[in-house]
Amino acid sequence: MSTSSIDSARDELATNTHTDMSKSPTKNNSAHRHTPDVVSATTGEPVRIESTVLPGTGTHIAPVAAAEAVLRAADATNTVPPLEVIAFGGQIARAEGLVPHEDAPVEPHPDKISRLKHEQAEARKCFEQEQLAEFEAEQRLEDERQQREIRTETPGQWNVSHHVSPAKYDPRVPYIAGFSNGIEITDPIILNNVELSEEIPQWLRGALYLNGPGLFDIEYISKKQKLSTFSFEHWFDGLALIHRFEIDVALRQVQYRSRFTARCLESLVRQHAQRTHVDTGTELGWLGLQKMESDPSAVSVNFAVYPNFPLGVSAQKDHLILTADTSVIQEIDPVTLIPKRAARYSDVNPAFKGIGAGGTPQLDVSNDGSIVNFVVEEGWGSEDKWRFFALDHGDPFDPPGHVITTLNAPRSYVHTFALTKHFIVLIIFPYKTTWGAGLRKFTPLAKRRDAIHREDVYFDPNGSTTFYVIDRPRRKVVTVYRTGPMFALNIVNAYESLSDQTVYIDLNCYDSDEIIKCWQLENLRTLEMPPWPAASVRRYSLGMIPEASAVYKVDKRKLSQPNFTHRTDYTLEFASVNPRYRTLPYTFAWGLSITPAKRRLTNVIWDCLVKANVSDKTRREWHEDGCYPGPPTMVPKPGSSAAEDEGVVMCLVLDTKDNTSFLLILDSSTMSEVGRARLPMAVPFGFSGSWTYEVHG
C-alpha cells in the first residue's frame, strides 16, 4: 500500500467529516477540496456507482424511446434509476402507443427473443465499460489535483485523530490533543521560546526522557479501496512515542527530539485491520512478537524508561531500556532514540520466564542501584506463577541476574510492587478470571499476547486484597496479610522500620478499578466522561512481621490484617519521590491531582501538580488555567548534603490556550516556576520520565 493512496483518499474523507469547522482543533485548514455530488445520507461518505442497469418496462420488448429517456436521466444524475422511475417510464410508453397494452401482448418469435437478449447484454456491457472508463479518468485527475494540494500543506497539519468518527472523538473536549496522535521530530531542534529565571539552578545539565503512548489512530485502505481508521480502545494501548530534552542552564539552551519506536508494529496493525475489517481493538502487541528479533520496532513498550538498565557485562553501557507490563523490553539509542534491540526477560536470563511483568521495575538504592522486578507465568487454573528476580550492575555472570523467589498467587491486574531493603511485597488485588481467559490458553503460541490481558480478569468488589511478604535474604514468602477490596495502579514509596519490624507502603488507592475504565479513549475523547472516582494516599502498615511469620508457618490459613492511615485526602497519581529516598523513610512526593473545585465535575482530568508532605499532610501546588500537566520527574540537587526536597521538578504540560505543550521546570521545594520551554506542537500525555546527568552525543 502506497502512502500516496492513503493521502489522496484521506483528503476526500476530510471534506465529509467534521463539517462544523468551529469544532475543529486545528487552526489552519487545507485548501478547498471537491465534494462528490452523490453522498450517503447516513454517513456523509461518497457513494461510488459501480454499474448501471438496462432499463425496461416489464414487457418482452423494451421500447427504445423509454430506454433512451431513462438512460439520459440516469447519466445526468450519475445514479442508478429506481424501479419506480422505470415502471413510470413504461406507463408513459404504453400511453403513447410505443408498446402494446398488457391486455394485448405481442408474442415475438423465440429466435427473436434470444437475439434481443443478446443485443441487450452487449449494450449493457458497452455502457458499463464506457461509464467505468469515464469514472476512472475523472478519479485520476482528481487524485493528481489532491496530491498537489497535499504537497503544499505545512508539515504536521494533518492528524488522523481529528478525523475519527465524531461519536468517538469530540474536538470540543479541551484536552483532546493529549489523547490524539502525536508528532515525531527525529532531528534535534533548539527550542526558541525558552524562559529561564534567575532562580533556576546552575547545576541543571543533563537529559530528560519521557515515555508514553503517542499513536492512537491508524488509517488504512480497506479491500474495497475505502479509507478507514483503526483506533485503539484504551489510553494504555497507544503505540510508544519517546521524547528527549537536553537541558543546559549554563548555555540557556534546551534541545528536543522525539521518535515513534514501534513503526513496524504500526504497519502490522494496519495490515491486521485491513485483513479483519475491524476499526477498534486493544493490546495488539502480539502481532510483532515473531518479528522483533529482526526489527526491534515491531513491539511497543510505552510505560517506563531507564538509563543504563543493568543487563550484564555484555550489554553496552550507554543505552536506554523501555519497559511496560509485558515481558518484552526494548533497547533504544540514548541520543537518536532509534530502537536497537527488543527482547524478553527470558532472553536476558532463561530463568526469567513469563508472559507478563511489572511495568515499573524498582530501583534498589540500598544495593548499588540494582533492578528488581517480576514476571508472571500463566497457570492453568486461577493461579499464576509470580517470579521475582534481580539484575545487578557489573554482574560478571552469564546469563546475568538471579531469581529471588517464585510463588503461586491468584491472577490479578498488578502494575508494580513494593520494595524495601529486606522485603518485597506483592499486592494482589481482588480479581476473578473470565471464561475468555480459559479459552485463550489454547491459542497458538504465535498469537499469544505477551501480557495478562485486562479482559481476562474482572474486579471483585466483595473480594480481598492480599499482601505477600517476601524475605529477600531468605528468598521466600514468610507471611501473608489480607484486607478489604481496593485498587492501586502506582506505589508512591515503601520503607521498613527495624525497631518495630514493620513495612510501610504508601499507595494511591481507589475503592475499585473503575479508574481503568475511565481511561478508555471513548471516555477521554468525548464530552460524556463522568467525574473520576476519588482516590487518596493510604499508608498500609504490615506490623510485627516476625510474629506473623511464625503464625503463618504453622497455619497458612491464619492471616494477619494490615492497618492503614490516610496521608492525603486527594489523589496523587503517577507520583515521583526523590530517587535517593526510594525504599527509605521519606517525607515528600510530587504527583498529579485535581483542584478541589473541579473534583465532582464531568470531563475533568488532572489539572494541577501537587507537592505532598506525607508526614504532616500539608501541600503545595502549581496550577494554571487551561493547562494540564503530565507525570512529574523529581531531579535532586547533586551532593549527599542536599535536603530531600532540594532540586527541581519537571513535567510536560498541555496548554489548551494555543494547543501546544511546554516543558515546565519548578523549584521542588517552593513549587514556584523557574523555567519553561515551549514546543511548536501539542504532545500526548505520557506515563513516566527519567533524568540522567550524563549527556551523550
Side-chain angles (χ1 to χ4, degrees):
M1 181 192 311
S2 65
T3 304
S4 61
S5 62
I6 295 180
D7 291 341
S8 61
R10 75 185 186 192
D11 284 335
E12 186 171 352
L13 177 65
T15 64
N16 295 289
T17 57
H18 298 281
T19 56
D20 187 358
M21 300 307 295
S22 63
K23 300 179 181 180
S24 177
T26 57
K27 295 183 178 181
N28 297 325
N29 299 319
S30 59
H32 173 72
R33 297 184 177 92
H34 172 69
T35 301
D37 295 328
V38 182
V39 296
S40 170
T42 304
T43 64
E45 297 180 351
V47 177
R48 178 177 177 179
I49 308 301
E50 299 291 342
S51 61
T52 184
V53 296
L54 185 68
T57 62
T59 60
H60 293 287
I61 302 176
V64 177
E68 291 179 349
V70 176
L71 282 175
R72 284 195 299 271
D75 185 63
T77 59
N78 194 24
T79 185
V80 178
L83 295 178
E84 293 82 357
V85 174
I86 299 175
F88 185 67
Q91 295 176 9
I92 294 177
R94 296 188 191 94
E96 295 179 356
L98 298 176
V99 295
H101 290 278
E102 294 182 358
D103 54 355
V106 176
E107 296 293 340
H109 192 274
D111 292 340
K112 189 175 182 180
I113 294 177
S114 299
R115 179 172 56 80
L116 291 174
K117 286 184 177 181
H118 176 72
E119 292 177 353
Q120 292 172 359
E122 289 296 324
R124 177 168 52 227
K125 183 177 179 180
C126 294
F127 177 80
E128 292 176 352
Q129 290 177 349
E130 292 176 357
Q131 291 291 96
L132 181 60
E134 183 180 352
F135 176 81
E136 291 178 346
E138 293 178 353
Q139 283 295 108
R140 283 194 297 270
L141 293 175
E142 181 66 17
D143 290 345
E144 292 175 0
R145 186 186 64 80
Q146 292 179 355
Q147 287 299 318
R148 288 193 298 270
E149 292 181 358
I150 292 173
R151 286 192 288 269
T152 61
E153 292 179 355
T154 57
Q157 183 176 349
W158 173 268
N159 194 321
V160 180
S161 298
H162 298 169
H163 299 270
V164 175
S165 168
K168 299 180 180 179
Y169 186 99
D170 194 332
R172 294 173 295 176
V173 176
Y175 44 79
I176 192 69
F179 302 104
S180 304
N181 284 2
I183 300 172
E184 66 175 2
I185 300 179
T186 57
D187 295 327
I189 60 173
I190 298 177
L191 301 182
N192 296 324
N193 194 348
V194 177
E195 302 173 4
L196 302 179
S197 69
E198 297 298 329
E199 289 77 20
I200 190 169
Q202 296 301 307
W203 49 261
L204 189 60
R205 181 180 184 273
L208 174 68
Y209 297 95
L210 302 176
N211 190 4
L215 194 65
F216 305 98
D217 307 291
I218 301 174
E219 58 184 1
Y220 67 96
I221 299 295
S222 66
K223 292 182 178 179
K224 295 183 178 181
Q225 298 301 307
K226 175 184 176 183
L227 182 67
S228 302
T229 303
F230 173 89
S231 299
F232 288 104
E233 294 179 358
H234 202 279
W235 179 32
F236 290 0
D237 299 330
L239 302 188
L241 176 60
I242 312 301
H243 312 270
R244 180 182 189 269
F245 291 88
E246 185 176 324
I247 303 172
D248 193 331
V249 172
L251 298 177
R252 318 294 287 184
Q253 187 181 94
V254 178
Q255 294 186 24
Y256 171 79
R257 75 194 310 168
S258 59
R259 186 179 295 274
F260 288 110
T261 57
R263 282 300 190 185
C264 178
L265 181 58
E266 176 188 349
S267 299
L268 295 174
V269 172
R270 181 176 288 112
Q271 296 170 13
H272 173 77
Q274 185 180 24
R275 183 173 61 253
T276 60
H277 308 288
V278 297
D279 60 359
T280 185
T282 183
E283 297 187 2
L284 295 179
W286 59 270
L287 291 171
L289 294 180
Q290 303 301 313
K291 294 187 176 182
M292 68 179 187
E293 291 187 6
S294 58
D295 190 342
S297 69
V299 295
S300 175
V301 188
N302 65 359
F303 202 90
V305 52
Y306 293 85
N308 296 326
F309 192 94
L311 291 176
V313 295
S314 60
Q316 298 181 8
K317 179 182 178 182
D318 299 335
H319 65 265
L320 289 175
I321 293 297
L322 309 182
T323 65
D325 56 358
T326 75
S327 63
V328 175
I329 58 177
Q330 188 181 44
E331 179 183 352
I332 65 174
D333 187 275
V335 178
T336 64
L337 307 180
I338 296 175
K340 299 166 60 178
R341 182 172 66 135
R344 297 178 176 87
Y345 282 116
S346 58
D347 296 326
V348 178
N349 189 322
F352 305 160
K353 181 182 178 182
I355 65 169
T360 54
Q362 297 287 351
L363 182 65
D364 185 7
V365 298
S366 62
N367 188 23
D368 298 329
S370 63
I371 290 289
V372 180
N373 201 8
F374 67 82
V375 289
V376 185
E377 186 176 356
E378 195 174 15
W380 284 98
S382 60
E383 290 191 343
D384 295 327
K385 290 184 178 180
W386 302 74
R387 185 171 290 112
F388 283 87
F389 64 89
L391 288 165
D392 303 323
H393 286 283
D395 190 337
F397 297 99
D398 187 19
H402 62 275
V403 174
I404 299 174
T405 190
T406 301
L407 66 146
N408 293 326
R411 183 167 304 154
S412 182
Y413 182 60
V414 178
H415 187 69
T416 187
F417 59 97
L419 178 71
T420 68
K421 184 175 181 179
H422 297 98
F423 296 99
I424 297 171
V425 181
L426 173 64
I427 306 174
I428 298 295
F429 304 109
Y431 278 87
K432 288 187 176 181
T433 306
T434 64
W435 62 270
L439 294 179
R440 273 187 276 272
K441 296 180 187 298
F442 301 96
T443 304
L445 291 177
K447 296 184 178 180
R448 293 288 291 275
R449 286 178 294 270
D450 219 46
I452 300 298
H453 199 288
R454 289 188 300 270
E455 296 179 356
D456 289 347
V457 292
Y458 66 92
F459 190 85
D460 181 9
N462 300 315
S464 300
T465 303
T466 308
F467 297 74
Y468 292 85
V469 182
I470 301 169
D471 188 304
R472 294 179 63 183
R474 297 166 65 182
R475 298 190 179 185
K476 67 176 184 178
V477 176
V478 293
T479 187
V480 177
Y481 293 77
R482 182 165 292 169
T483 188
M486 60 95 169
F487 175 79
L489 181 69
N490 296 300
I491 291 178
V492 180
N493 199 10
Y495 62 94
E496 63 187 64
S497 173
L498 295 179
S499 60
D500 55 3
Q501 298 294 316
T502 300
V503 171
Y504 299 96
I505 307 173
D506 290 354
L507 301 165
N508 190 56
C509 292
Y510 303 86
D511 292 335
S512 70
D513 71 341
E514 185 67 24
I515 188 64
I516 298 297
K517 300 179 179 64
C518 290
W519 291 340
Q520 292 179 342
L521 290 177
E522 64 179 359
N523 293 323
L524 295 171
R525 306 206 292 193
T526 61
L527 288 175
E528 301 176 357
M529 184 178 71
W532 286 358
S536 62
V537 176
R538 300 180 190 175
R539 176 168 292 176
Y540 281 87
S541 304
L542 311 183
M544 303 178 65
I545 290 181
E547 290 80 357
S549 300
V551 174
Y552 181 76
K553 184 176 181 180
V554 175
D555 189 351
K556 290 181 170 51
R557 294 173 298 178
K558 293 184 177 181
L559 305 180
S560 302
Q561 183 173 356
N563 300 317
F564 74 85
T565 58
H566 289 281
R567 310 319 298 172
T568 71
D569 60 354
Y570 50 86
T571 184
L572 196 71
E573 198 57 87
F574 295 103
S576 175
V577 302
N578 188 323
R580 297 173 186 158
Y581 285 78
R582 281 284 180 192
T583 74
L584 301 174
Y586 76 111
T587 303
F588 304 104
W590 295 262
L592 301 177
S593 192
I594 301 174
T595 51
K598 296 183 178 180
R599 293 178 188 173
R600 301 292 182 182
L601 302 180
T602 59
N603 287 97
V604 172
I605 64 173
W606 305 293
D607 63 348
C608 64
L609 194 61
V610 173
K611 174 192 177 184
N613 187 320
V614 295
S615 296
D616 61 16
K617 301 182 182 181
T618 59
R619 59 178 282 175
R620 292 175 180 266
E621 72 175 39
W622 175 91
H623 168 76
E624 184 175 313
D625 290 339
C627 292
Y628 298 89
T633 301
M634 196 280 173
V635 180
K637 178 182 178 180
S640 58
S641 61
E644 178 186 346
D645 63 343
E646 191 172 1
V648 298
V649 170
M650 293 186 285
C651 70
L652 205 55
V653 180
L654 174 64
D655 188 351
T656 61
K657 296 186 292 293
D658 60 1
N659 203 34
T660 61
S661 296
F662 61 86
L663 178 66
L664 175 68
I665 306 176
L666 301 176
D667 184 298
S668 55
S669 178
T670 64
M671 294 297 286
S672 59
E673 182 175 336
V674 295
R676 178 179 297 202
R678 188 170 295 276
L679 295 171
M681 73 289 186
V683 174
F685 294 117
F687 293 143
S688 65
S690 184
W691 170 266
T692 175
Y693 292 101
E694 301 177 4
V695 179
H696 309 281

